[in-house]
Amino acid sequence: MVKHFWILAGLALSLLMLAGVSRAANRDSLGATGVTLYEISERVTFDPDSSSPGVIRRNATSPLQGFAEVGTPLCPSALLISVPRIQSCTVIATGTDTVSTVTGLGPVSGTFDVVINAPGNSSVHVPDLPVISGTFGGSVDLSLAVLHRVPLGTIAGSFTITQMANPATGMLGPLPQPVVLPFQGTFRMPFAIDTHARHVRSDRKHAAFYLADDLRTLMLVRPTELSVGFPTVRLEVTFGQ
């Protein structure tokens, strides 16, 4: 089934030759992961947990955008045959999670698309034509952030590819058998510090940082990781169990 999926992917995404290739402005933005996504914005509410009296849940919905490395399931290496210069595939998504403010744990779900530049767009237009689509779901662990104010979190779950573009028409159609891709990932939440290494309230005037996995190293948020001037939450995803 996996081999069949790669063949379909290579055929469907041959549309890239006609529609234009999505390229990362800075390949380093992918880091060392399969997919790097950024929260473009976020809407948050706090509501009572109907199943746990006295517990408040943080409910958030975010549009995300980022890039998948060539050779990963969301950017099949078969594309190199059709588009030798491709560097990455653009991925957009909308995710929703509901996290307990007591434990920092909760479910996450959403939809995603791998998109290319639609015919008629200028070369600098944001990619907008879906060629792979599906859903994702799993669980998030934000306990470090919620309980200890450490700006890191994790996620685990699966992407399910349900649709691919028809190479003849460019229209999305359902796959005969959905493809399920287990994944895990790390959230890096931006923060700012003053000259004494004390946390300060985030704004667009301070340099912002992400925290590395060693809980010590600071990684500067780059201009390509801003959304209208605001530093974004960065989600690094790798595939496999």
Side-chain angles (χ1 to χ4, degrees):
M1 188 181 83
V2 173
K3 181 178 180 181
H4 181 60
F5 164 67
W6 293 125
I7 292 172
L8 283 173
L11 291 173
L13 293 180
S14 63
L15 288 166
L16 290 168
M17 297 183 67
L18 301 176
V21 180
S22 302
R23 293 187 176 88
N26 179 350
R27 193 168 185 180
D28 287 342
S29 67
L30 292 170
T33 66
V35 181
T36 301
L37 296 169
Y38 297 91
E39 289 188 353
I40 305 305
S41 64
E42 186 175 35
R43 182 180 186 273
V44 174
T45 62
F46 291 89
D47 302 293
D49 187 337
S50 59
S51 63
S52 300
V55 174
I56 301 298
R57 300 194 74 86
R58 180 187 185 274
N59 304 303
T61 298
S62 301
L64 305 102
Q65 183 169 348
F67 305 98
E69 289 187 20
V70 173
T72 60
L74 298 189
C75 192
S77 55
L79 291 179
L80 292 172
I81 299 173
S82 300
V83 192
R85 292 180 297 172
I86 188 173
Q87 297 177 3
S88 64
C89 295
T90 299
V91 181
I92 61 174
T94 300
T96 298
D97 63 47
T98 174
V99 174
S100 166
T101 56
V102 174
T103 65
L105 307 177
V108 61
S109 61
T111 60
F112 75 92
D113 297 283
V114 178
V115 291
I116 63 174
N117 207 345
N121 287 351
S122 73
S123 61
V124 296
H125 195 285
V126 60
D128 54 2
L129 177 66
V131 290
I132 297 177
S133 293
T135 63
F136 65 90
S139 58
V140 294
D141 182 345
L142 303 181
S143 56
L144 282 176
V146 171
L147 304 180
H148 306 289
R149 300 188 65 185
V150 176
L152 292 172
T154 61
I155 182 173
S158 60
F159 283 86
T160 301
I161 297 176
T162 58
Q163 293 182 297
M164 297 193 70
N166 184 312
T169 65
M171 298 177 62
L172 284 176
L175 288 177
Q177 180 70 36
V179 178
V180 179
L181 306 166
F183 76 90
Q184 55 189 351
T186 299
F187 289 101
R188 301 195 194 277
M189 303 161 201
F191 60 94
I193 55 176
D194 63 17
T195 55
H196 300 288
R198 296 174 301 200
H199 283 257
V200 296
R201 190 173 184 83
S202 179
D203 60 38
R204 288 183 285 180
K205 297 179 181 179
H206 285 88
F209 302 90
Y210 298 120
L211 186 64
D213 293 340
D214 62 9
L215 306 184
R216 297 178 58 185
T217 303
L218 304 184
M219 302 183 294
L220 183 66
V221 175
R222 291 163 293 194
T224 54
E225 297 175 312
L226 303 177
S227 176
V228 199
F230 288 98
T232 58
V233 174
R234 176 166 136 184
L235 172 58
E236 303 164 359
V237 172
T238 55
F239 292 99
Q241 298 287 2

